[in-house]
Amino acid sequence: LANAHTRNGAVDPIELQKTGRIKSDEPGRMMVLSPSDGPHPYDSRVKCRAMTEEEILHVIDTYASAAEYAKGRGFGMVMVHAGHGWLLHQFHCPKSNRRTDRWGGSPENRCRFTVAVIDEIHRRCGRDFPVEVRISGSEAFEGGYGIEEGVEIAKQLDGHADIIHVSCGNLFSPGTDFHTHPGIFQEEAMNVKYAAEIKKHVKHSYVATIGALTSLDVLEDIVASGKADIVEMARGLICDPDLPIKAKSGREKEARKCLRCFKCVGQDYQDGRLFCAINPASGKEREAARVPQPLSLRKVLVAGGGIAGMQAAITARGIGHEVILCEKGSALGGVLLCEKDVPFKQRIGDYIERQKYMLEKLGVEVRLNTEVTPALCAELKPDAIVAALGASTAKPPIPGIEGDNVKTAVEVFSDASLAKGKSLILGAGTTGLELAIYLASLGKEVRILEMRSASEAAGTAGTYASQLQKYDIKVEYGVRADAILDNAVKASARDDERLIPCDTVINALGMKPRWDEADALRFCAAEFYQIGDCRKARNLMATTS
């Protein structure tokens, strides 16, 4: 791995961390090491025991041994994680470190452990082997420390660490995850202020910043204005590993910008790989690198100018095929165009503009207001047809679903004024939750019904929990809509039936692939491919890949 990263000149770092008191998932383990004795932060069955002097010294030695091992395998530096609630952070924090010996009390004592780790790595690996240390500039929750304490921590590490990497938050305190991993609802560069303040007090170490950094202009400004010496990104480089190269070579319009959708880190690292919703090569880099050049170039007709259709056209043209992309509407972007005016979805618009630019740059022939029909296929005579016709809103057999007071999520995203009075959204998937948050942000009264249980839907709702709480949006799980009336929805949960008053009902119950339209084109060329929502309506990542 290190060789693959470094043979073209990159310096490859590896992260070193120890969990400390947050570790409790080992069967039968009822005692974990910690700076001080006390209860476990989130598991009442587990007790925390203060580390002895010998244990602290042993951990210092193991950090250095790990760094030596990494250096011997070709890694160019290490990043010691001393933030976000891990063991070294626990020693930094006055709340978790109540020791009265040389490892606790003053900022100097609380940071002594981290300083000793850094110094020992340098002693054994050499001063030319850089050590970066990540800290939380602020814990960003009530009862946690603020930037003043973050500055004191950084001052203790100054001159010991080569880079002081300033992040924010404590993953093991409720409500701070959007600081450590800013999502779609947070502004760009929200954590830079912590690095900028710390940089005023650090004299001998470089200062790095991180946290949802995607815009090249913002990255440039951070360094040029002196807010930080180094900008770092993780999700942004999963999205586009060539982002720095594109920036340096004046190809900014080709860069993909992270959507902050959490598909990369929210799907449990399938098979040990990271996938990005808008990078079709992510998680499949080896396969993508081995795509052979075609023996003969084809004429490819792509039917549909949504997300899947645009990416298919870019991929096919990139290989060398002649590509014609037809979209029956007046604009490219497909169903996601309905979200163009939603503030927290503007990155989708940026992505669509990027794809349009790539179509033009690669020379794809784009025909708008053009529906692909068998007659058009007979005229164009393509060698291959790619059906990317998308999906339409599914309409389950609920009495009243065709009523005038029922709107689709697509319609309401396009025109929020259609949500009149009290709105009731059917479906607590991604679409329903995001629509509810959007409407609530406009001051509209909204609630959600979801037929699944809370545990079945938890993977979806977790990302939006803070916003649902902020706007006091009620989500009722395990409740089925049985009928839609003029001013209410008849709902049931087990044996309980009731009427829920509402003025507008919004259907967010999923999408139905346009199989019939695809079937009409299936035998109009020697090769036929059905992709994206047209094949199976899922999500943006499935559509892209």
Side-chain angles (χ1 to χ4, degrees):
L1 184 65
N3 177 261
H5 291 170
T6 59
R7 61 175 175 246
N8 291 310
V11 177
D12 202 17
I14 192 166
E15 178 182 314
L16 306 179
Q17 61 167 259
K18 188 166 176 61
T19 57
R21 69 178 189 148
I22 61 172
K23 184 71 173 177
S24 69
D25 56 359
E26 294 183 12
R29 187 174 186 181
M30 295 291 103
M31 184 72 72
V32 294
L33 298 180
S34 173
S36 304
D37 293 332
H40 192 273
Y42 57 82
D43 190 339
S44 59
R45 301 168 301 168
V46 179
K47 301 299 181 184
C48 297
R49 177 178 65 76
M51 295 175 70
T52 66
E53 175 90 6
E54 291 73 19
E55 287 169 334
I56 292 173
L57 296 176
H58 172 69
V59 170
I60 293 169
D61 178 71
T62 60
Y63 267 105
S65 295
E68 277 189 306
Y69 184 87
K71 181 181 180 181
R73 297 305 178 273
F75 286 88
M77 60 183 287
V78 291
M79 191 272 271
V80 174
H81 202 325
H84 294 179
W86 304 108
L87 177 65
L88 296 178
H89 178 178
Q90 295 161 27
F91 272 79
H92 294 173
C93 177
K95 187 175 181 180
S96 55
N97 184 350
R98 301 181 302 280
R99 302 175 74 101
T100 58
D101 60 4
R102 68 186 185 122
W103 307 102
S106 67
E108 179 182 4
N109 284 352
R110 283 185 277 111
C111 294
R112 189 184 302 277
F113 195 170
T114 304
V115 169
V117 167
I118 297 167
D119 288 350
E120 184 64 11
I121 292 174
H122 274 140
R123 188 184 72 80
R124 287 164 59 173
C125 297
R127 285 296 314 186
D128 60 345
F129 185 73
V131 179
E132 176 181 15
V133 61
R134 169 182 275 183
I135 66 170
S136 289
S138 168
E139 289 192 303
F141 70 94
E142 188 174 351
Y145 68 74
I147 183 58
E148 297 82 5
E149 188 67 40
V151 167
E152 290 302 315
I153 293 168
K155 287 164 68 174
Q156 302 305 316
L157 305 177
D158 189 16
H160 297 275
D162 298 279
I163 301 170
I164 298 175
H165 167 156
V166 183
S167 185
C168 180
N170 185 332
L171 286 170
F172 307 98
S173 296
T176 68
D177 54 340
F178 67 87
H179 284 282
T180 56
H181 302 81
I184 60 175
F185 303 107
Q186 282 74 51
E187 69 274 16
E188 185 167 4
M190 63 176 291
N191 292 333
V192 172
K193 58 187 177 185
Y194 302 112
E197 183 60 29
I198 283 173
K199 191 173 186 309
K200 297 175 185 177
H201 303 272
V202 168
K203 308 301 180 185
H204 307 291
S205 301
Y206 292 109
V207 173
T209 186
I210 196 168
L213 303 175
T214 55
S215 168
L216 294 174
D217 290 339
V218 171
L219 296 174
E220 183 71 24
D221 176 70
I222 290 169
V223 176
S225 64
K227 295 173 185 174
D229 301 300
I230 301 168
V231 288
E232 304 198 3
M233 47 175 61
R235 288 175 289 169
L237 293 176
I238 299 168
C239 181
D240 194 336
D242 294 325
L243 185 67
I245 296 172
K246 291 174 180 176
K248 189 167 65 171
S249 57
R251 295 156 52 207
E252 292 92 339
K253 289 184 177 181
E254 296 180 27
R256 293 185 190 87
K257 297 179 182 179
C258 172
L259 302 180
R260 302 192 215 160
C261 63
F262 290 111
K263 292 298 181 185
C264 53
V265 296
Q267 40 75 54
D268 298 325
Y269 306 111
Q270 297 170 7
D271 302 322
R273 297 183 288 176
L274 288 167
F275 295 89
C276 172
I278 60 174
N279 179 357
S282 61
K284 303 183 288 291
E285 288 82 4
R286 288 181 178 176
E287 297 96 313
R290 294 172 182 170
V291 173
Q293 288 298 309
L295 295 176
S296 61
L297 297 180
R298 315 287 182 84
K299 178 190 281 189
V300 179
L301 175 60
V302 179
I307 299 300
M310 287 193 290
Q311 184 58 55
I314 290 168
T315 301
R317 182 59 186 154
I319 295 172
H321 297 299
E322 176 189 352
V323 181
I324 302 172
L325 171 63
C326 295
E327 164 56 45
K328 70 177 181 179
S330 60
L332 297 174
V335 69
L336 290 183
L337 287 174
C338 72
E339 300 176 349
K340 63 182 176 63
D341 294 325
V342 179
F344 56 82
K345 301 290 282 186
Q346 288 181 350
R347 295 173 194 85
I348 289 288
D350 293 340
Y351 173 60
I352 291 172
E353 289 303 312
R354 184 263 181 191
Q355 297 294 81
K356 289 164 62 176
Y357 172 80
M358 292 303 298
L359 291 169
E360 181 181 0
K361 179 181 174 67
L362 292 170
V364 173
E365 181 183 343
V366 176
R367 300 186 183 185
L368 300 177
N369 301 303
T370 304
E371 183 177 0
V372 176
T373 62
L376 181 64
C377 296
E379 176 189 336
L380 296 177
K381 297 181 173 57
D383 300 302
I385 295 174
V386 178
L389 299 166
S392 57
T393 301
K395 293 185 178 181
I398 301 173
I401 200 165
E402 299 285 356
D404 293 337
N405 62 328
V406 181
K407 308 298 178 184
T408 69
V410 172
E411 291 173 327
V412 178
F413 264 128
S414 299
D415 183 0
S417 68
L418 295 175
K420 303 181 185 302
K422 297 180 179 179
S423 294
L424 181 66
I425 297 176
L426 304 183
T430 298
T431 300
L433 293 170
E434 290 185 352
L435 180 56
I437 292 166
Y438 174 49
L439 294 177
S441 73
L442 298 176
K444 295 179 179 289
E445 188 175 345
V446 60
R447 65 193 294 184
I448 306 174
L449 294 189
E450 171 56 56
M451 188 166 63
R452 295 174 297 172
S453 67
S455 60
E456 291 174 318
T460 304
T463 305
Y464 306 100
S466 63
Q467 295 294 308
L468 296 173
Q469 184 177 15
K470 174 182 177 180
Y471 293 110
D472 194 25
I473 299 171
K474 186 176 182 181
V475 184
E476 296 188 63
Y477 293 99
V479 180
R480 184 180 67 245
D482 295 321
I484 301 172
L485 311 178
D486 289 339
N487 57 2
V489 168
K490 183 179 179 182
S492 61
R494 296 182 181 159
D495 297 329
D496 176 40
E497 293 187 358
R498 56 197 167 99
L499 289 177
I500 301 176
C502 59
D503 302 294
T504 305
V505 178
I506 303 173
N507 177 4
L509 294 170
M511 306 293 283
K512 179 183 178 182
R514 292 192 170 98
W515 273 85
D516 291 341
E517 292 93 324
D519 284 342
L521 307 176
R522 193 170 299 278
F523 300 105
C524 293
E527 295 181 44
F528 178 83
Y529 304 94
Q530 190 171 342
I531 67 170
D533 285 351
C534 178
R535 182 167 175 260
K536 183 178 181 180
R538 287 179 288 177
N539 54 45
L540 181 58
M541 184 167 73
T543 297
T544 301
S545 61

